[in-house]
Amino acid sequence: MTELALIRKPIIQPTEILSQLQTGQLLRVNGTRGNALIISHRHHAELAGPGAAVGGLFDADCTRVVPIGTLSLVYPESRYERQKAYQLRQRWILFTQYAMTTYVPLHRAKILLSLLYKYFDAQLINELSDEIIAQLVGVLPKTIGMVRRSRMSQTVRQSPSQGVVLTSKKGVKMILKDKPTSQNEKNASLSVVESL
């Protein structure tokens, strides 16, 4: 079935991805958890994660693509792979729709950013523009900026006897202590020990 594909090798570069999506060929996001592709259309954007179908009739009118993490696009060779890719695209649409359950733009921005920070690496999300994230849930870019600034307003200070103390703008404090793992102290996970 690969011989029927317009392109036989995985597509990696964003410019190649955009031009290939605009041809109308159905492709699949090839990547691991924590990687995705934001597909920007004229008035909205959609998130397509690992395994999701892209291209085809869905994205022929896309104007921009923004890869999150390291991914490539591959041709789904079997009927089963195409069907699975369609199902995964629907799940990713539901993922972003969850953030749109409220009419209040600030709440939508908070919910979406919480979901993105939970699923993806924080550094990857911080690199995304406010504009592209805003298109995912239909809010203004400045709303995303406000939510990001409020998230960053939490100050982190190190206290040698208590561990890491997080203090929010409202004065709520949480103490986080290193909990060593059985094998390696470097891989110690932070756990909330006490909430003041």
Side-chain angles (χ1 to χ4, degrees), residues 107-191:
H107 290 215
R108 283 196 302 217
K110 283 181 183 178
I111 293 169
L112 178 68
L113 281 172
S114 294
L115 290 171
L116 291 175
Y117 279 113
K118 186 182 286 186
Y119 189 81
F120 300 103
D121 183 46
Q123 182 181 2
L124 294 174
I125 300 305
N126 290 337
E127 292 172 0
L128 295 175
S129 70
D130 291 346
E131 177 186 75
I132 195 72
I133 294 174
Q135 277 191 312
L136 288 170
V137 287
V139 299
L140 294 172
K142 68 180 183 180
T143 307
I144 297 294
M146 288 170 39
V147 173
R148 280 184 164 174
R149 282 189 298 278
S150 71
R151 287 181 68 92
M152 295 300 166
S153 71
Q154 287 188 335
T155 58
V156 178
R157 65 178 171 83
Q158 183 72 32
S159 172
S161 62
Q162 294 180 324
V164 177
V165 178
L166 295 176
T167 308
S168 71
K169 229 178 181 181
K170 295 179 181 178
V172 177
K173 294 182 180 180
M174 287 186 3
I175 299 174
L176 304 174
K177 292 188 177 180
D178 286 336
K179 183 179 180 181
T181 59
S182 58
Q183 294 289 326
N184 192 348
E185 296 252 339
K186 287 184 180 179
N187 295 332
S189 61
L190 290 176
S191 60

Side-chain angles (χ1 to χ4, degrees), residues 18-175:
L18 180 62
S19 62
Q20 199 62 39
L21 292 184
Q22 291 172 338
T23 65
Q25 182 180 6
L26 180 70
L27 298 166
R28 179 176 57 86
V29 177
N30 187 28
T32 58
R33 187 184 192 319
N35 298 314
L37 184 66
I38 297 176
I39 305 162
S40 181
H41 298 271
R42 186 170 180 195
H43 297 292
H44 76 287
E46 295 179 13
L47 188 64
V54 293
L57 297 177
F58 299 126
D59 305 313
D61 66 338
C62 66
T63 57
R64 179 177 162 198
V65 292
V66 179
I68 301 174
T70 305
L71 59 86
S72 62
L73 298 182
V74 294
Y75 182 74
E77 295 192 24
S78 68
R79 181 177 178 267
Y80 174 76
E81 282 183 9
R82 288 188 297 277
Q83 186 176 13
K84 184 74 173 165
Y86 284 128
Q87 289 172 349
L88 289 171
R89 178 70 180 255
Q90 286 177 326
R91 284 188 190 163
W92 282 101
I93 291 170
L94 291 175
F95 176 85
T96 53
Q97 273 186 336
Y98 176 76
M100 294 173 31
T101 56
T102 180
Y103 294 108
V104 181
L106 195 61
H107 290 215
R108 283 196 302 217
K110 283 181 183 178
I111 293 169
L112 178 68
L113 281 172
S114 294
L115 290 171
L116 291 175
Y117 279 113
K118 186 182 286 186
Y119 189 81
F120 300 103
D121 183 46
Q123 182 181 2
L124 294 174
I125 300 305
N126 290 337
E127 292 172 0
L128 295 175
S129 70
D130 291 346
E131 177 186 75
I132 195 72
I133 294 174
Q135 277 191 312
L136 288 170
V137 287
V139 299
L140 294 172
K142 68 180 183 180
T143 307
I144 297 294
M146 288 170 39
V147 173
R148 280 184 164 174
R149 282 189 298 278
S150 71
R151 287 181 68 92
M152 295 300 166
S153 71
Q154 287 188 335
T155 58
V156 178
R157 65 178 171 83
Q158 183 72 32
S159 172
S161 62
Q162 294 180 324
V164 177
V165 178
L166 295 176
T167 308
S168 71
K169 229 178 181 181
K170 295 179 181 178
V172 177
K173 294 182 180 180
M174 287 186 3
I175 299 174

